[in-house]
Amino acid sequence: MATQLGIHAYDHLLGDLSAAGVRELTVQTRQFQEQLALINPADLGLRERTDYQLLNTFMADNLLELEEVRGWQRGPDLHMEFAMTAIFFLLVRDFAPLPERMKNAASRMRQLPAYLTTARVQLVNPARIATETAIEMSRGSMGIFAQLAPMLAQQLDDLDLRAEVVAAAAAATAATEEFTTWLEDDLLPRSNGDFRMGADLYTRKVLRLSYMLEATPTQVLALGQQMFAATLQELESLAEEIAPGQGWQSIVEAAKDEHPSAGELLAYYEQESASLRQFLIDHRILTLPVGEHMEVRETPPFLRPLAPAAAYSVPGPYDLDQLGQFWVTSPDPSTTAAQQAAQLREHSIYFVPSRSAHEGYPGHHVQLTTAGQVGSYIRNHVGYNILFVEGWGLYCEQLLDEVGYYKDKRTKLFQLKEQLKRAARIIVNIGIHCGAMTVDEAVRFMVDKVRLSEAGASGEVKMHCAAPGQKISYQLGKAMILNLREEAVRKWGAAFSLQRFHDRLLRSGGIPMKLIAEEFWATAE
């Protein structure tokens, strides 16, 4: 976490998810809560009161995670993601000279065998789907140690450091291979745990603490069903305009045949991102943060199971270089030709604009780099709330249609198709964690109603199982942003402009929408 924030005093450490480490963190969290209880929020200014609420809620959320959710015991995929991300960021982010980063990476790689040994001891009866995801991630991480780290080591002039990195990478490779075998042969056959969070814990952790919402799972489900029906109607109506009688599914499938080649993919996204950035400037949609810049890069192999198409990696708020990384997932060369062709079809030229708007301009890149510049110390640490972050990304997909950026109705069709998927996510996420929906039923729903492929639907549902509540954030957050915008239109009248609204919205950082709305109206221009 410190590395990603741009606080580099701990870059040589991998972290401690042992039982003793978890106990220590639990004690520290309770002590922190006792200290916070000595502060009277009424004595604080507006932004400080917001920070107080953020920190208090964050500590309660952490405690619930440590003591009741217990991902450190039930999530082999969590262990893998923590370790691989910690090492990968040191290798690919240019926040310090290469020798310094490689020395710290070697330190973390040397700690990996012990870290994975601890994970074996910690993990108790995880859900089978979590172990399967961990296996995919573990296999994907091999290239970091077997290829990427040794390749970067060859750029080092210090021969002793070069040898140190190569040796550490070899040890990490062996440990990861051994851990993968253990996951497959030992943990997977006895992974009989229930991934479901249950309505009570879901309400307390996801809705109350994470999102600061008063709604019940039943109410959220009803809202998702309404959104799904409304989007489907809009989708079918637009399809009739494009090709009467064909249906939106067949139009989308035909449009998927138009895509860049594998070799052209990253360059195509780079061109689209540059076009979007200039459009924002020319049309005064919002104010870009000072010093921001973004590069399109290949998705790290170990994150492919979590980002089958694209993702965004935010620069640390304390790093001098505010370079954002837009990760695009190219076809996996280790798969069959048919599988690679199917992967490319997910990058239709009619889909690239809305996806680029979501991840880059004006989406996550603009929002999160802005948050890093306007946030307090506390907001930079705990203020990246997924409800606002993903809600903003989805809002931006619709925004670009509203301001006339999409030039082909098929682009709008893809935007609506993705909106339908986000509404369906509410139905599936609530259904499998709070209701009686099975994994197979969730996959069938995504195939039959959203028209995902079997593989796509299976991957989608795996993410729902691993991340209770995360997938409902898109549509809920977007709805809250639109409600706030409507209120601004009413109150500001002729003085309303998109740039004024967006700049004011983003200046609170990435905090929960409830707190953003409070600050939005309580602060002066």
Side-chain angles (χ1 to χ4, degrees):
M1 183 180 188
T3 298
Q4 293 185 49
L5 286 169
I7 299 172
H8 297 295
Y10 312 97
D11 284 354
H12 61 296
L13 300 175
L14 190 54
D16 184 6
L17 283 178
S18 67
V22 170
R23 282 195 299 271
E24 182 182 1
L25 183 56
T26 303
V27 170
Q28 289 175 344
T29 303
R30 290 196 179 281
Q31 291 173 342
F32 214 126
Q33 288 180 313
E34 292 171 2
Q35 291 177 313
L36 281 171
L38 300 176
I39 299 171
N40 183 1
D43 296 335
L44 304 175
L46 174 65
R47 286 183 69 87
E48 289 72 28
R49 282 201 307 275
T50 301
D51 285 356
Y52 179 92
Q53 290 184 74
L54 277 172
L55 200 51
N56 204 22
T57 303
F58 178 77
M59 290 301 154
D61 195 11
N62 263 7
L63 207 56
L64 198 60
E65 172 66 37
L66 291 168
E67 296 184 328
E68 294 191 51
V69 179
R70 304 174 75 87
W72 53 278
Q73 279 191 322
R74 303 174 64 223
D77 49 338
L78 185 71
H79 285 268
M80 290 305 303
E81 184 178 0
F82 279 1
M84 298 309 126
T85 303
I87 295 167
F88 181 78
F89 270 38
L90 293 176
L91 299 178
V92 300
R93 285 203 169 277
D94 301 328
F95 55 80
L98 182 63
E100 178 183 335
R101 292 187 288 112
M102 293 302 289
K103 187 171 186 61
N104 286 323
S107 176
R108 283 183 170 173
M109 286 189 288
R110 283 195 299 271
Q111 295 168 64
L112 185 64
Y115 175 94
L116 295 178
T117 298
T118 299
R120 292 195 201 188
V121 176
Q122 296 291 79
L123 292 166
V124 179
N125 197 28
R128 183 177 184 86
I129 203 161
T131 304
E132 290 172 344
T133 301
I135 292 169
E136 289 184 59
M137 296 177 71
S138 189
R139 286 172 179 161
S141 70
M142 296 294 187
I144 298 175
F145 311 125
Q147 299 167 11
L148 180 59
M151 179 188 71
L152 291 172
Q154 296 309 309
Q155 301 176 27
L156 298 169
D157 295 329
D158 184 333
L159 297 183
D160 290 339
L161 179 57
R162 185 188 299 181
E164 180 183 343
V165 172
V166 170
T173 301
T176 307
E177 289 175 340
E178 185 179 346
F179 186 69
T180 306
T181 301
W182 176 80
L183 287 172
E184 294 173 331
D185 297 344
D186 189 326
L187 189 62
L188 186 62
R190 55 186 176 89
S191 293
N192 300 311
D194 190 355
F195 64 84
R196 296 173 186 274
M197 182 170 273
D200 174 64
L201 189 54
Y202 193 99
T203 300
R204 288 186 287 133
K205 187 177 192 312
V206 175
L207 300 181
R208 300 291 181 269
L209 291 175
S210 296
Y211 296 160
M212 295 187 177
L213 299 176
E214 293 303 318
T216 65
T218 301
Q219 291 170 328
V220 174
L221 176 61
L223 183 61
Q225 291 168 334
Q226 292 170 12
M227 291 172 169
F228 186 88
T231 302
L232 183 59
Q233 184 176 8
E234 190 177 358
L235 193 57
E236 291 172 342
S237 177
L238 180 60
E240 279 299 298
E241 294 180 25
I242 297 172
Q246 287 194 19
W248 67 268
Q249 302 96 327
S250 61
I251 299 173
V252 164
E253 286 304 308
K256 284 183 177 181
D257 290 334
E258 299 182 56
H259 55 73
S261 67
E264 299 169 335
L265 195 60
L266 297 188
Y268 194 90
Y269 274 95
E270 287 173 354
Q271 182 179 358
E272 188 68 47
S273 298
S275 174
L276 279 165
R277 186 181 188 277
Q278 192 59 48
F279 185 90
L280 298 179
I281 296 171
D282 294 344
H283 293 79
R284 298 182 180 179
I285 305 298
L286 48 68
T287 303
L288 293 173
V290 176
E292 65 76 25
H293 54 134
M294 186 185 79
E295 289 182 358
V296 177
R297 295 188 179 181
E298 184 67 49
T299 301
F302 71 95
L303 285 179
R304 278 178 168 270
L306 301 180
Y312 175 73
S313 175
V314 62
Y318 300 110
D319 278 327
L320 293 177
D321 186 1
Q322 289 296 289
L323 171 66
Q325 296 183 11
F326 178 7
W327 292 339
V328 174
T329 308
S330 298
D332 184 351
S334 67
T335 59
T336 66
Q339 289 171 321
Q340 291 181 51
Q343 289 172 328
L344 264 184
R345 296 183 80 244
E346 295 306 312
H347 297 284
S348 166
I349 62 173
Y350 304 107
F351 194 178
V352 170
S354 60
R355 177 178 284 151
S356 299
H358 184 112
E359 305 293 350
Y361 298 100
H364 294 330
H365 172 67
V366 173
Q367 178 196 36
L368 295 177
T369 48
T370 299
Q373 294 181 13
V374 303
S376 64
Y377 184 81
I378 289 171
R379 293 184 198 207
N380 285 342
H381 278 70
V382 304
Y384 290 87
N385 188 268
I386 199 71
L387 184 67
F388 181 41
V389 171
E390 293 299 358
W392 171 259
L394 188 58
Y395 166 79
C396 289
E397 294 181 30
Q398 177 176 315
L399 173 68
L400 267 294
D401 174 60
E402 293 174 338
V403 296
Y405 182 80
Y406 300 154
K407 302 305 181 186
D408 192 295
K409 288 183 178 181
R410 285 170 290 185
T411 301
K412 170 68 173 176
L413 197 72
F414 272 87
Q415 180 250 313
L416 286 173
K417 178 184 77 73
E418 288 302 294
Q419 183 172 298
L420 187 75
K421 182 172 76 174
R422 269 56 172 260
R425 283 174 168 175
I426 296 177
I427 299 170
V428 167
N429 205 270
I430 298 287
I432 64 174
H433 284 289
C434 304
M437 182 179 280
T438 67
V439 169
D440 288 343
E441 287 171 345
V443 170
R444 290 270 38 99
F445 181 84
M446 284 296 188
V447 171
D448 296 340
K449 302 298 184 181
V450 190
R451 301 298 179 179
L452 297 186
S453 66
E454 289 281 350
S458 178
E460 172 78 22
V461 173
K462 279 184 181 180
M463 290 189 285
H464 284 274
C465 297
Q470 195 271 347
K471 295 300 180 183
I472 73 172
S473 61
Y474 298 75
Q475 195 75 3
L476 290 180
K478 174 190 169 185
M480 296 178 78
I481 293 171
L482 288 172
N483 288 340
L484 188 60
R485 191 177 76 177
E486 290 173 5
E487 188 176 1
V489 169
R490 289 194 304 271
K491 290 185 176 181
W492 291 347
F496 175 87
S497 73
L498 284 175
Q499 186 170 35
R500 181 187 181 191
F501 172 74
H502 293 147
D503 288 354
R504 191 159 181 172
L505 177 70
L506 295 177
R507 75 182 182 188
S508 291
I511 65 179
M513 282 300 303
K514 174 180 180 291
L515 301 181
I516 284 178
E518 291 175 4
E519 287 196 348
F520 193 95
W521 296 119
T523 55
E525 284 297 313

